[in-house]
Amino acid sequence: MVIDRYWLSTRVYAPTEAMPALDGLEAQVVPPTLTLFANAPETVRRARLTGRGGTLTRADLETLVGRRAEVLTRKYRAWNASPMVGEFVELDCSGSANTVLATALAAVWEAGRRAA
């Protein structure tokens, strides 16, 4: 099963005051086997978001603002050893879509091979 948004994203984006409630729910969450953290430089993210043709949402814009983007990336990386993310692999998504897909599939293949 592949899930695009899940517990780690919820934790990273949640406001600090929501953390006690999330801590209480965490025991009910089934952790993934593998987390692929898709990351790209701001210029690449901006080009891809604007290339979608729609208006950027406030949430989209927040992820492009230097400080906010850095904080979010740091938060994702801080969870890399948590059992709630399984194996954590950060993907460099600055290449073409085909390159990123090939890299992601290779990471999934390797994780499956190790788990077998």
Side-chain angles (χ1 to χ4, degrees):
M1 175 184 338
V2 174
I3 300 173
D4 178 41
R5 174 151 176 136
Y6 73 112
W7 191 248
L8 179 58
S9 296
T10 300
R11 294 298 301 242
V12 167
Y13 281 88
T16 304
E17 57 272 8
M19 290 305 171
L22 293 176
D23 288 341
L25 292 172
E26 194 162 277
Q28 300 174 41
V29 175
V30 177
T33 304
L34 174 68
T35 293
L36 299 177
F37 174 48
N39 196 14
E42 180 184 334
T43 55
V44 172
R45 291 193 321 271
R46 183 178 298 277
R48 289 183 181 155
L49 284 169
T50 57
R52 292 179 185 166
T55 303
L56 296 181
T57 66
R58 192 176 118 230
D60 290 335
L61 292 171
E62 283 181 3
T63 67
L64 294 174
V65 176
R67 173 92 173 103
R68 175 73 169 147
E70 290 170 19
V71 168
L72 292 171
T73 298
R74 241 189 344 262
K75 284 182 173 184
Y76 273 108
R77 287 177 178 155
W79 279 83
N80 73 348
S82 168
M84 290 308 296
V85 300
E87 181 182 346
F88 184 91
V89 176
E90 185 169 344
L91 300 177
D92 174 4
C93 294
S94 58
S96 70
N98 286 338
T99 300
V100 172
L101 177 60
T103 304
L105 291 174
V108 170
W109 176 265
E110 282 301 312
R113 189 180 62 75
R114 283 190 295 278

